[in-house]
Amino acid sequence: MCIRDRSYVIPTSTDVDITGVDVSKIDDSYFAKLRAPAAKKSESAFFTAQTGKSEEEQKRLADKKKTQSQVDAALLNNIKKVELLKNYLSARFTLKHGQRPHELIF
């Protein structure tokens, strides 16, 4: 899951049933990035610095993957119940010359 800019999202009148999807763990803090404290810069610290992620960050990413898979599984079950909804959601949206997106009705 990630936050998308609204310029990349197309509003439609299609509804996706989200009953059975547990989104209680998802809030603004779910999308927040952890800021590592800035270390003092020195030549020796540069060559000995660890490039891996901290244990806390690894645990957080593992939890996010688990939550993502749970939400995806529940959503896909609901999407499969509606005929052609999966095809509709995966279709590529394009505009032709002269089409105005604000005048289209989905």
Side-chain angles (χ1 to χ4, degrees):
M1 262 180 274
C2 58
I3 296 175
R4 294 282 178 210
D5 189 281
R6 64 181 165 195
S7 63
Y8 296 107
V9 179
I10 301 165
T12 68
S13 60
T14 304
D15 293 330
V16 177
D17 185 24
I18 60 169
T19 56
V21 180
D22 181 25
V23 291
S24 61
K25 296 179 183 178
I26 301 171
D27 56 1
D28 288 341
S29 64
Y30 180 85
F31 298 103
K33 294 181 181 180
L34 291 179
R35 303 277 181 193
K40 292 184 179 181
K41 296 180 181 181
S42 69
E43 186 176 342
S44 61
F46 176 77
F47 289 109
T48 60
Q50 296 178 354
T51 57
K53 296 181 176 159
S54 67
E55 277 188 40
E56 180 184 345
E57 182 69 12
Q58 289 176 353
K59 182 182 181 298
R60 186 173 153 277
L61 290 175
D63 289 342
K64 285 180 85 169
K65 286 181 184 178
K66 183 179 175 185
T67 303
Q68 178 71 52
S69 64
Q70 291 170 348
V71 169
D72 286 347
L75 270 177
L76 286 175
N77 284 337
N78 291 343
I79 289 172
K80 288 177 184 176
K81 293 177 185 175
V82 179
E83 185 180 359
L84 299 177
L85 183 59
K86 184 176 181 183
N87 294 341
Y88 175 75
L89 293 174
S90 62
R92 185 177 190 98
F93 176 79
T94 57
L95 290 173
K96 294 185 172 52
H97 182 69
Q99 283 184 320
R100 295 184 173 95
H102 61 279
E103 292 177 351
L104 298 176
I105 298 173
F106 298 96

